[in-house]
Amino acid sequence: MDPVKLMKQEVGQAAAAKVTSGSIVGLGTGSTTAFAIQFIGERLASGQLTDIKGIPTSFQASVLAKQHGIPLTTLDEVDRIDIAIDGADEVDPQHNLIKGGGAAHTREKVVDSLADQFIVVVDNSKLVDVLGSTFPLPVEVLPMAVAPVTRALQALGGQPELRLGVRKDGPVITDQGNMILDVKFNAISDPAALEKTLNNIPGVLENGLFVGVADVVLVGEVQGDSATVRTL
Ligand code: 5RP
């Protein structure tokens, strides 16, 4: 198997193993979390896990959960989330994250920050010393505000680019009907301050900085032909 896929699979399985019966589980978005969702489904099917309900962070998570037999609920029906499992695009040494590679960070931030325990699942290529060094920061924007928000982001020193679809002409439209500006900042020295500054721009729904939200970061690594998982 491709080594990156192997790391994602192992780390997804390790996170799924942490889910206990009776839990409300936040289901993240992306290719790593997809493995966690698959393994939670397998544990349910085998009877190892019972009585759990998932809260999906995206259309993708909802489809996968249904495919793997995980019953779903909403934040209107429950007053807690016990555990959330989600991927990330960058993780710094303080466990702050950039998320939104799948344009799902707005719902992900709601669900992940409500969870008693938020477990991040990544392969080791996602570890960085400083956020922003490898991945542009996704910012979800109301369609009618894309032009002024672009100018405001440039004034902050960023280089915003409208995210375009793949095998779809025109912009990516989020699950909420908005657009994504991917903003290159090179190095984000104060993620907590930038997170607040960006969310203060009129027309910005949410940005992909997750500061102080992660409780546990599981990292997949490849050694020889096999993958291992370590806790950061
Ligand atoms: C989606 C996300 C994903 O969790 C992030 O992009 C990581 O994805 P993958 O596990 O496919 O690398 O934030 O909005």
Side-chain angles (χ1 to χ4, degrees), residues 162-212:
L162 186 65
R163 191 180 298 183
L164 299 177
V166 176
R167 291 174 59 84
K168 185 263 178 195
D169 292 332
V172 165
I173 303 297
T174 68
D175 288 358
Q176 294 74 241
N178 300 310
M179 293 181 189
I180 298 289
L181 289 169
D182 288 308
V183 194
K184 192 137 188 48
F185 280 107
N186 294 323
I188 298 173
S189 55
D190 188 346
L194 186 63
E195 182 186 16
K196 288 193 180 74
T197 302
L198 296 179
N199 282 358
N200 243 352
I201 301 171
V204 168
L205 272 302
E206 189 55 88
N207 68 82
L209 285 167
F210 282 47
V211 179

Side-chain angles (χ1 to χ4, degrees), residues 8 29-33 86-89 99-105 108 126:
K8 289 180 182 217
T29 301
S31 55
T32 318
T33 316
D86 209 342
D89 302 298
K99 286 185 51 54
H105 58 278
E108 290 174 329
K126 308 290 184 71

Side-chain angles (χ1 to χ4, degrees), residues 11-157:
V11 82
Q13 187 161 20
K18 293 189 179 291
V19 176
T20 54
S21 294
S23 298
I24 306 292
V25 187
L27 302 172
T29 301
S31 55
T32 318
T33 316
F35 283 114
I37 293 174
Q38 177 192 328
F39 288 117
I40 291 170
E42 286 176 12
R43 292 187 64 206
L44 272 176
S46 71
Q48 204 188 87
L49 200 57
T50 54
D51 187 31
I52 70 151
K53 284 198 174 124
I55 302 202
T57 55
S58 62
F59 186 78
Q60 181 217 31
S62 168
V63 168
L64 282 174
K66 286 176 192 156
Q67 196 177 315
H68 293 290
I70 302 172
L72 295 177
T73 187
T74 68
L75 291 174
D76 292 331
E77 278 150 276
V78 297
D79 57 7
R80 68 174 208 283
I81 298 177
D82 298 296
I83 182 169
I85 300 170
D86 209 342
D89 302 298
E90 283 189 348
V91 181
D92 78 5
Q94 289 73 43
H95 300 186
N96 297 321
L97 318 173
I98 284 185
K99 286 185 51 54
H105 58 278
T106 300
R107 287 197 206 179
E108 290 174 329
K109 202 180 279 190
V110 173
V111 171
D112 298 344
S113 61
L114 282 173
D116 286 346
Q117 192 184 31
F118 170 32
I119 300 181
V120 181
V121 284
V122 288
D123 60 80
N124 61 5
S125 70
K126 308 290 184 71
L127 303 182
V128 295
D129 289 333
V130 182
L131 291 180
S133 35
T134 63
F135 203 84
L137 178 65
V139 177
E140 181 164 357
V141 183
L142 278 178
M144 56 80 74
V146 165
V149 171
T150 297
R151 288 192 292 271
L153 292 167
Q154 285 164 338
L156 287 170

